[in-house]
Amino acid sequence: MASIFEQALGSDFHSLHPMLQKRFGVDTAAGYACVGRGIFAEVRRGAWWTVPFLRLGAYRNILFPDQGNNIPFTIENYPYVDGFGRPTVTFVRTLELPGKQRRFDATMVHSAQSGGIVDYLGTHQHLATDLVLQVTADGSLHLQSGAQRFYEGVVGFTFPALLTGTADLYESFDDARGVFTIQLQVRNPVVGFLFGYRGEFECTFPALSSGGIPGHLKPRREEIRE
């Protein structure tokens, strides 16, 4: 079976750089994961008034107010089938900041309804957004978030655009240096730039074990609503 990224992209998946095809080809049937380790040359946030919003996000591993340069990080993409039977891939980024760690958690789920990918953010899958995936002319992958939906108990609603941020993520492969590159920006239509990072990393592709994926990568709660 094709990975969730190949299913979402269709034939365009084969226009990705071959190393990105391997990276985003992770699937339980393929039998491997992707673990990247590298350096964020820059992690930055918006103006001072964005700090309360980012602090709130840090409570559930969704954004954070810290910033800095040359920050070591790990990105772990493990495929599994979630409790609702949906093909899922972890997208957990761990940053080694001076004196502490910060995590940015996401689980990407293949949607049987749309055929695309729903990105659940945070430790409890409180926030969900549909992803728009595009292969650029140079074989890079562009992921853009759509409207954000909030789920908690019986509550479910879509945030007004003015209260959310649109994320643009670009991943590429640098043939000359043999590294993956990554760049993210989150922007709000009113206040502008909220958060972003850019960096590079190398990947290993560990085989999936019979015991399943590392438990610390799974969300603490799963949400059925897409």
Side-chain angles (χ1 to χ4, degrees), residues 7 20 25 32 44 48 54 73 77 85 109 115 117 121 128 131 136 154 162-164 177 184 192 219:
Q7 291 181 65
L20 289 178
Y32 70 90
R44 63 192 184 100
W48 62 268
L54 297 174
F73 76 96
N77 301 109
V109 171
I117 292 177
L121 303 175
L131 294 182
T136 65
V154 298
L162 297 181
L163 299 180
T164 65
R177 295 184 298 126
L184 170 79

Side-chain angles (χ1 to χ4, degrees), residues 53 56 63 127 146-150 157-166 186-191 194:
F53 170 78
L56 180 63
L63 303 180
L127 294 179
Q148 291 182 5
R149 303 176 291 279
F150 177 85
F157 61 87
T158 299
F159 279 104
L162 297 181
L163 299 180
T164 65
T166 298
V186 181
R187 303 184 67 87
N188 175 274
V190 176
V191 302
L194 295 175

Side-chain angles (χ1 to χ4, degrees), residues 2-11 87 109-118 130-133 226:
S3 73
I4 65 172
F5 300 99
E6 184 172 354
Q7 291 181 65
L9 283 167
S11 60
V109 171
H110 179 258
S111 171
Q113 299 176 25
S114 68
I117 292 177
V118 176
D130 297 318
L131 294 182
V132 178
L133 279 66
E226 297 180 357

